[in-house]
């Protein structure tokens, strides 16, 4: 009698164990099902690009020569825009398979990492700090930081900035570098380059600092301004993609190489870059 009871207890316990284990297993299975189905494990960006048959590029809309919205057509134009279209032609076979979304220096990495854009082609320097947050392609353009002043200004270069107000854009390397290179200057930051240039013109600062490539666009727009003092940093531009997309980076690098080999890169360069 006693033995029988013990046996019954044991069998009940094992039954319970079996039910519990099955329960756990079931839970795992349904989690897996959810990953594979509903929410889905996020596809890599290259696969998404191929599926939607277009690349969503984050570009500047206020940077003459690189990415500037033409108010009469509503289209963005510039070196970065033509590079982006040429990359789409290489990767998807047609330069119209693009969508452009506006980014600023401050917003671009967040928009990329949120998945709002597939890649950034927006005067973006490859830096070690940024490499912690995004991946970059090979260099596709070399710029360097400089200063823009009103013609006749007593500012002649980085060494004449003591006590001067220098305008820069939030989220740019320029804003970081200028504090290091001219610690005695006062730095005022703006959201984007059109605001910064408007501020320079309205006398809110003595100089504007960013890449020479961007400053040339401003001097073109208003020839009463000029670049002074040459460049004092190196700003190699790369195309940024979300981390963990090695295949997409590889595809973009292959496309860049083929644009260089075919002469298309030089054609785009000569169209926009005069200095
Ligand atoms: N190339 C610099 C940077 O990546 C300045 C231009 C910009 O703000 O996009 O920060």
């Amino acid at each position: 009698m006693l033995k029988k009871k013990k046996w019954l207890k044991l069998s009940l316990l094992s039954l319970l164990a079996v039910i519990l284990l099955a329960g756990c297993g079931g839970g795992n299975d349904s989690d897996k099902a959810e990953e594979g189905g509903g929410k889905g494990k996020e596809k890599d960006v290259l696969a998404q690009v191929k599926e939607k048959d277009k690349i969503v590029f984050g570009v500047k809309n206020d940077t003459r020569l690189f990415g500037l919205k033409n108010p009469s057509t509503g289209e963005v134009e510039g070196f970065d825009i033509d590079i982006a279209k040429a990359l789409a032609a290489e990767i998807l076979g047609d330069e119209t398979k693009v969508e452009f979304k506006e980014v600023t220096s401050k917003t671009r990495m967040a928009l990329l990492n949120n998945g709002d854009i597939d890649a950034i082609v927006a005067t973006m320097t490859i830096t070690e700090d940024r490499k912690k947050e995004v991946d970059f392609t090979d260099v596709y353009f070399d710029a360097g930081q400089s200063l823009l002043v009103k013609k006749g200004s007593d500012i002649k270069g980085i060494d004449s900035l003591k006590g001067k107000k220098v305008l820069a854009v939030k989220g740019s390397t320029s804003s970081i570098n200028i504090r290091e290179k001219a610690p005695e200057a006062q730095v005022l930051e703006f959201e984007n380059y059109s605001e910064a240039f408007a501020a320079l013109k309205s006398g809110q600062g003595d100089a504007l600092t960013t890449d020479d490539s961007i400053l040339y666009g401003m001097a073109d727009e208003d020839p009463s301004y000029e670049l002074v003092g040459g460049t004092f940093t190196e700003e190699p531009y790369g195309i940024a993609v979300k981390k963990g997309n090695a295949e997409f980076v590889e595809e973009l690098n292959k496309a860049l190489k083929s644009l260089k080999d075919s002469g298309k890169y030089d054609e785009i360069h000569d169209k926009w870059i005069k200095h």
Side-chain angles (χ1 to χ4, degrees):
M1 183 69 186
L2 230 157
K3 254 189 189 168
K4 216 174 177 184
K5 252 193 178 169
K6 205 173 175 184
W7 179 85
L8 195 72
K9 216 167 149 190
L10 271 175
S11 342
L12 277 173
L13 273 175
S14 14
L15 192 70
L16 204 69
V18 166
I19 290 168
L20 277 174
L21 278 174
C24 286
N28 275 344
D29 281 352
S30 67
D31 283 352
K32 267 182 212 141
E34 200 173 292
E35 269 172 34
K39 267 197 294 177
K41 192 178 164 295
E42 217 178 272
K43 265 197 197 140
D44 66 54
V45 175
L46 182 60
Q48 288 174 33
V49 157
K50 292 206 165 144
E51 196 173 289
K52 62 189 175 191
D53 204 24
K54 73 172 176 191
I55 309 177
V56 182
F57 286 106
V59 297
K60 294 286 181 72
N61 275 16
D62 71 338
T63 305
R64 185 175 297 273
L65 304 181
F66 283 81
L68 182 71
K69 192 163 208 159
N70 179 337
S72 55
T73 60
E75 301 285 319
V76 267
E77 297 166 352
F79 177 78
D80 280 341
I81 307 306
D82 284 355
I83 290 289
K85 287 179 182 168
L87 290 171
E90 289 290 328
I91 295 170
L92 299 174
D94 187 339
E95 70 158 39
T96 65
K97 293 183 173 177
V98 287
E99 187 184 326
F100 293 120
K101 286 196 181 167
E102 181 176 8
V103 299
T104 66
S105 308
K106 192 178 86 178
T107 63
R108 60 192 162 195
M109 286 202 285
L111 290 171
L112 183 70
N113 287 331
N114 281 346
D116 286 334
I117 51 180
D118 300 317
I120 301 169
V121 190
T123 65
M124 187 171 186
T125 302
I126 303 169
T127 70
E128 289 308 312
D129 268 352
R130 287 175 178 166
K131 275 191 205 166
K132 291 175 196 154
E133 290 177 64
V134 298
D135 285 338
F136 285 101
T137 61
D138 297 335
V139 177
Y140 73 94
F141 186 81
D142 279 301
Q145 188 170 345
S146 190
L147 295 165
L148 185 79
V149 297
K150 182 103 184 165
K151 279 183 180 162
S153 162
D154 59 352
I155 297 174
K156 301 289 173 233
I158 193 80
D159 297 326
S160 42
L161 291 179
K162 189 174 176 185
K164 301 285 188 189
K165 276 190 193 145
V166 182
L167 314 180
V169 164
K170 289 179 190 170
S172 66
T173 53
S174 336
S175 173
I176 300 168
N177 297 335
I178 195 68
R179 291 169 215 271
E180 203 183 288
K181 307 268 179 184
E184 290 171 318
Q186 187 191 339
V187 181
L188 297 182
E189 287 193 318
F190 294 84
E191 293 300 320
N192 56 47
Y193 287 100
S194 52
E195 279 185 23
F197 191 32
L200 181 70
K201 291 198 237 177
S202 69
Q204 290 180 55
D206 305 300
L208 194 163
T209 190
T210 186
D211 301 338
D212 55 350
S213 46
I214 298 175
L215 297 177
Y216 282 126
M218 295 175 181
D220 272 4
E221 185 188 321
D222 187 339
S224 61
Y225 289 85
E226 65 179 351
L227 280 78
V228 289
T231 56
F232 51 89
T233 68
E234 283 176 8
E235 307 289 332
Y237 293 178
I239 297 159
V241 305
K242 195 172 178 173
K243 277 199 165 296
N245 288 283
E247 270 184 69
F248 190 31
V249 174
E250 206 176 297
E251 196 80 1
L252 288 164
N253 278 336
K254 264 202 293 186
L256 278 174
K257 187 173 181 312
S258 122
L259 295 180
K260 290 198 174 152
D261 292 346
S262 70
K264 179 77 181 168
Y265 177 90
D266 287 340
E267 189 189 301
I268 296 172
H269 189 277
D270 294 349
K271 177 175 164 195
W272 295 104
I273 314 295
K274 310 280 180 220
H275 301 273

